[in-house]
């Protein structure tokens, strides 16, 4: 398989154009150089026929640009992140970027590995869904002036660009909705986490109770460990139901928590919403197919992904010391799982 | 931030060991060189403290090895592939490999892009879930002697290593199970695709009817376009139900098809399984949470992902012209959606 490497000149000769023109086209600069569409197509066709292989590595070392974006998500097996990855990819493609993806499994050390691997693969920039305790990595990227945008999660103390959900408001709205529907004893299951968005979800929930003059009972709030969701959710729900102020409604702070919780609620034979009303963060097919469609916090995934790419592409074009802080609003999708409470007289 | 770059020598001095030893440890070769665990930990710790940055790029150009595997999946927003990506990553990590992921969205041209991007990023090898019409790319990798393993889908005419599901057998079992449960008019919804595994699912279904002396009715088989699933599934189910031999059971050849189909079946007010029994490929939380838990074909995802990595790592260690062809067996998880048919007398 030791063929001579095909050069730009070989292509130029076959296409009967200049080598410079071939270079423009194969480097994706046909627009700048006003090359006709037909000739560009012809050049690409010939390059393909001849099995031309651009030496990207040498090229990147020269230009410092690879037209590649590294996307680090917190957990690829979580549909929310998998879907957002799909959106980021589609959007990046429109700007001529290829996205390579790594999943940190919510672990800071794996996220470090990925940042290093991607830096060494010379991505032009990053989109990062941060894992807990990864502030140091983000600071490192800031120090090195690597262009990046945080997505879905951010660190309020670090001067980064970010595109996140307004988790406080979304959670406040979820609680207020349940109260308006006649529920009073409202629980929240969240993760035990130092991540800001999780704290905001707790804060919004508590504020919704407070503003409606409902006294908060500590047993209504359960923060479960990421690595022990199934077990801790069972204990948590048991305690919430056994309390003197037993809950009549429950908010799940993430999709994963909702799935585990709903399985347990089913196994207890509780009927949604008559025995227990439900609102959850995160959209999912499982919520649609549940016997009682689940009211959920619709996160603007499309807009989150698109905006993150737009900001990053802008920064790649023209470095900008200003930071963009985008907090997007969720929309509460009201369905049967939180319908008006039956008053038992 | 223009600090002098930290060298192996700097680390060696601080750790009071030889530069060679530092090199061994930081290149992950401590086992070969019998370095003690404690000293290895110490060296890594110091490297971290000093913010040592290995020059992977220069290193890869020298050694030709990057300890990176490129994983191309067909669609990241499909939970089956997202979960398999997670397994591949976890497994690769055990062997010291980092996985970078790209999603082809079931499109051959995007898969080409990703193969090029990853080759130019110098991955050591590939795991590929092929998209339709991508034989040419696979042949290209074969011609170039790039180590790779096909996962979940393969091309029977190409001499590649692969790890796939025995789709024929899984589909045969699904059909036979429904027949044993008393159903006779069994439909199948699959994708219109040139991919081998999809044909095998259709073949297995038809064979199950044939072996049980049930005449196949053409209107029982619907092959829907990937880009028009929702619309074509509605039409397909309508036709299957309106037929003179109206179906009493339905098999979905993939998870996506099942979700779209179940939504439509719900909207028609049909009760599973009394009006229509269901079996589906692909496992999903939505199947557990459905009012009538769905019988499904459990694919051995863990084993599929692990075996693919094992074969690839073997090949990376020691090139081997032999090809491994692994067809794994699925397991039918029998649940309420296909329970014994009620005989109406």
């Amino acid at each position: 398989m030791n063929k001579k490497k095909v050069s730009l000149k070989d292509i130029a000769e076959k296409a009967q154009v200049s080598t410079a023109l071939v270079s423009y086209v194969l480097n994706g600069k046909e627009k700048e150089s006003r090359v006709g569409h037909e000739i560009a197509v012809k050049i690409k066709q010939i390059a393909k026929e001849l099995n031309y292989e651009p030496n990207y590595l040498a090229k990147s070392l020269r230009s410092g640009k690879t037209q590649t974006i590294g996307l680090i998500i917190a957990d690829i097996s979580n549909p929310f992140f998998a879907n957002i990855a799909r959106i980021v990819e589609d959007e990046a493609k429109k700007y001529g970027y290829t996205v390579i993806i790594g999943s940190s499994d919510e672990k800071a050390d794996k996220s470090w590995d990925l940042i290093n691997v991607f830096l060494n693969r010379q991505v032009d920039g990053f989109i990062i869904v941060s894992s807990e305790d990864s502030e140091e990595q983000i600071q490192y990227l800031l120090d090195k002036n690597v262009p990046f945008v945080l997505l879905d999660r951010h660190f309020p103390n670090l001067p980064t660009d970010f595109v996140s959900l307004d988790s406080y408001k979304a959670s406040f709205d979820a609680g207020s909705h349940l109260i308006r529907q006649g529920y009073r004893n409202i629980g929240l299951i969240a993760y035990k986490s130092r991540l800001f968005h999780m704290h905001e979800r707790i804060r919004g929930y508590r504020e919704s109770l407070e503003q409606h003059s409902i006294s908060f009972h500590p047993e209504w709030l359960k923060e479960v460990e990421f690595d022990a969701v199934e077990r801790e959710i069972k204990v948590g729900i048991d305690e919430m139901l056994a309390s003197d102020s037993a809950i009549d409604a429950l908010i799940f702070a993430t999709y994963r928590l909702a799935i585990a919780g709903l399985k347990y609620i089913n196994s207890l034979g509780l009927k949604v919403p008559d025995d227990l009303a439900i609102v959850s963060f995160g959209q999912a097919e499982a919520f649609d197919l549940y016997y009682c469609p689940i009211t959920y916090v619709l996160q603007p995934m499309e807009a989150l992904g698109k905006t993150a790419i737009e900001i990053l592409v802008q920064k790649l074009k023209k470095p900008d010391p200003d930071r963009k802080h985008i907090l997007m609003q969720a929309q509460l999708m009201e369905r049967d799982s939180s319908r008006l409470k039956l008053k038992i007289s």
Side-chain angles (χ1 to χ4, degrees), chain A residues 233-276:
Chain A
I233 266 193
K234 288 180 185 174
V235 176
I237 291 178
D238 285 346
E239 287 175 7
M240 287 169 155
L241 291 169
S243 152
D244 284 342
S245 321
I247 55 166
D248 56 5
L250 182 53
I251 301 172
F252 293 105
T254 76
Y255 161 78
R256 279 265 139 131
L257 294 169
I259 296 295
L262 287 172
K263 282 185 188 170
Y264 186 57
I265 287 165
N266 282 355
S267 76
L268 294 175
L270 294 176
K271 283 291 155 211
V272 175
D274 299 339
D275 297 324
L276 193 60

Side-chain angles (χ1 to χ4, degrees), chain A residues 80 165-175 177-178 188 201 251-255 258 278-284 287 294-301 304 328-335 337-338:
Chain A
F80 177 73
L165 185 77
D166 187 345
S167 279
Y168 168 79
K169 178 67 165 45
S171 196
F172 178 85
D173 288 349
H177 162 71
L178 284 166
L188 173 71
R201 291 181 192 185
I251 301 172
F252 293 105
T254 76
Y255 161 78
I278 301 287
V279 174
S280 181
F281 276 74
Q283 50 263 49
F287 293 169
I294 302 291
T295 296
Y296 64 92
V297 172
L298 174 67
Q299 305 189 48
M301 283 208 284
L304 285 165
M328 292 195 166
Q329 295 306 312
Q331 190 187 348
L332 192 73
M333 304 301 286
E334 304 180 14
R335 307 201 293 176
S337 74
S338 62

Side-chain angles (χ1 to χ4, degrees), chain A residues 89-97 302 306:
Chain A
E89 276 194 311
D90 285 349
E91 198 61 21
K93 202 179 161 117
K94 291 183 198 160
Y95 293 98
Y97 285 88
E302 194 87 14
K306 281 188 175 183

